[in-house]
Amino acid sequence: MYGMINQALKELVESHSGARVWGEICESAGVSSEDFDSLLPYEDSLTYRLVGLTSEKLGLSASEILRMFGLHWVSFTAHQGYGEMMALFGRDLRTCLKNLNRMHGHMGAMMPDLHPPRFVVEEKNSESLTLHYYSTRHGLAPLVVGIIEGLAQKFREPITVRHIPKGECSDHDEFNVVFVSA
């Protein structure tokens, strides 16, 4: 994963628990607590290890950390200069979700080692959709839930999200997104 992921985790931990706690997590992981280079790839195992250690340190499950991280990711990327690019791919949640693959394609121009997930939006009706999530990385479904919720907040669209885990015969996870009328 690219360093930008680890930087966002650092910012989340520091805003939640302070720089000292982030330093302790990094020490346990055997890495410097300094910023990661946004545009350099790092081993996925490092990010998984940082999430696991954050979970232990904060006394929250890895799923809770990943969901919090997904929520944080939306504002973090906007503040890192990607907010304008996100705006190009949709002015509402539904359109943005449909354009996630295009957005990752544009990111790939700057990050040649990017291995993003693939998304397919299945329209159910005007009140709901199913987001199909294909990834070679395992265990990140709670992160996707947080990202969907974060995007819904960004677009000020109340929703509920339900993760439908992939079964033994499936190659992907699904997320049922219901748009809640005000």
Side-chain angles (χ1 to χ4, degrees), residues 128-141:
S128 70
L129 60 82
T130 299
L131 182 69
H132 299 265
Y133 166 72
Y134 300 82
S135 178
T136 58
R137 295 179 175 108
H138 300 285
L140 299 180

Side-chain angles (χ1 to χ4, degrees), residues 13-25:
V13 171
E14 288 183 345
S15 69
H16 186 274
S17 301
R20 180 186 56 76
V21 170
W22 176 250
E24 292 170 1
I25 290 167

Side-chain angles (χ1 to χ4, degrees), residues 82-94:
Y82 297 99
E84 290 177 17
M85 184 173 73
M86 283 192 327
L88 295 174
F89 292 99
R91 299 211 182 281
D92 58 57
L93 178 60
R94 203 177 278 272

